[in-house]
């Protein structure tokens, strides 16, 4: 991270000056907690699966081949041992200090809440919640981990579906409305750990009309040229210095 003290001081000054900050994050926030971006292609996909992750994690595939869906889901999407990192922890502290009004996340791991953040908008749902498609009975993540093949409801025997937004499924309208409101009203928007490539979530950034746009991401994003402060580094590394 070039001129790290300079950019860290600039970020600190922005945070100090404002009390209505919204954070918008993606997979890069959790990679430093040991949760890989499932869109990253490694050799394991080719060795173990006949389809790319985006195909397996689609609504159509879930319906047509639920057994294979859950084989991938348990292996690649569930990380019960993952712990919050410096980014999660700092955001929770900033919320407690009255600085951060909301965390809007594309992640499904629940680590923001584990760190103590209270106002968290999960655009793509959460692996911590699973519901019977027949009776609505709740099942936790451990139930999915311990199950085999297609998990069945302990109450009625129906199929249990993770409360995550699959490809081809729409985002929750209430969550989207709340996210738009927080971003529209924010003085500062910090975008972190996301390439802004996944829509419609990435389109929420268009609603920001505030004073300062901060982008913290290892790779370039479409918003870099609009940022008042651009930091191309891992988000946990940056937030650990705040």
């Amino acid at each position: 991270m070039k001129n790290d003290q300079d950019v860290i001081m600039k970020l600190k000054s922005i945070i100090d000056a404002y009390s209505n900050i919204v954070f918008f994050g993606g997979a890069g926030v959790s990679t430093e907690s040991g949760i890989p971006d499932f869109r990253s292609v490694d050799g394991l996909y080719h060795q173990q699966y006949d389809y790319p992750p985006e195909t397996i994690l689609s609504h159509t595939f879930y319906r047509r081949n639920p057994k294979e869906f859950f084989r991938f889901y348990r292996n690649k999407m569930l990380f019960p041992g993952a712990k919050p990192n410096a980014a999660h922890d700092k955001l929770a502290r900033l919320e407690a200090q009255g600085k951060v009004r909301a965390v809007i996340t594309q992640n499904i791991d629940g680590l923001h809440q584990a760190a103590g953040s209270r106002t968290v908008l999960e655009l793509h749902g959460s692996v911590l919640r699973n519901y019977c498609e027949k009776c609505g009975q709740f099942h936790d993540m451990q139930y999915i981990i311990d199950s085999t093949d297609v998990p069945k409801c302990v109450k009625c025997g129906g199929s249990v579906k993770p409360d995550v937004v699959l490809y081809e499924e729409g985002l929750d309208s209430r969550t989207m409305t709340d996210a738009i409101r927080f971003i529209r009203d924010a003085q500062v928007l910090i975008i972190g750990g996301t390439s802004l490539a996944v829509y419609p979530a990435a389109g929420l950034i268009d609603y920001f009309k505030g004073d300062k746009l901060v982008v913290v991401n290892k790779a370039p994003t479409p918003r870099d040229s609009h940022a008042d402060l651009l930091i191309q580094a891992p988000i946990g590394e940056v937030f650990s210095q705040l």
Side-chain angles (χ1 to χ4, degrees), residues 49-75:
Y49 304 99
D50 295 329
Y51 305 92
E54 290 86 353
T55 297
I56 298 175
L57 294 173
S58 69
H59 180 84
T60 297
F61 193 91
Y62 170 76
R63 291 299 180 199
R64 292 179 178 175
N65 198 343
K67 184 176 178 179
E68 182 68 0
F69 170 88
F70 276 104
R71 186 169 79 92
F72 178 90
Y73 184 79
R74 291 186 187 94
N75 187 28

Side-chain angles (χ1 to χ4, degrees), residues 11 15 23-33 83-95 100 103 107 111-117 190-193 216 233-242:
L11 181 54
I15 292 172
F23 179 82
F24 182 94
V29 179
S30 292
T31 52
E32 290 172 86
S33 291
K83 304 296 183 186
N85 61 50
H88 300 104
D89 291 338
K90 185 62 179 181
L91 286 166
R93 290 196 295 271
L94 289 173
E95 182 187 41
V100 169
V103 169
N107 297 334
L111 291 182
H112 284 293
Q113 293 94 325
S117 289
I190 301 176
I191 299 171
V216 185
I235 182 111
E237 177 184 324
V238 172
F239 276 48
S240 68
Q241 300 177 65
L242 293 176

Side-chain angles (χ1 to χ4, degrees), residues 7 10 26 28 60 81 90 102 120 124 145 182-183 190 203 218 225:
V7 295
K10 289 181 179 178
T60 297
K90 185 62 179 181
V120 180
H124 296 149
I145 293 172
F182 276 114
I183 291 174
I190 301 176
K218 290 169 63 176
S225 61

Side-chain angles (χ1 to χ4, degrees), residues 113-134:
Q113 293 94 325
S117 289
R118 301 181 66 179
T119 304
V120 180
L121 281 65
E122 297 172 313
L123 297 174
H124 296 149
S126 173
V127 298
L128 304 182
R129 300 186 300 268
N130 307 273
Y131 296 98
C132 174
E133 295 191 274
K134 187 176 180 181

Side-chain angles (χ1 to χ4, degrees), residues 130-150:
N130 307 273
Y131 296 98
C132 174
E133 295 191 274
K134 187 176 180 181
C135 74
Q137 175 72 31
F138 169 82
H139 299 74
D140 62 16
M141 179 173 64
Q142 193 61 47
Y143 185 80
I144 303 299
I145 293 172
D146 294 339
S147 65
T148 57
D149 295 335
V150 180

Side-chain angles (χ1 to χ4, degrees), residues 57-59 62-63 161-162 164-171 200:
L57 294 173
S58 69
H59 180 84
Y62 170 76
R63 291 299 180 199
K161 184 180 184 294
V164 299
V165 179
L166 302 177
Y167 288 97
E168 304 169 347
E169 294 181 340
L171 275 60

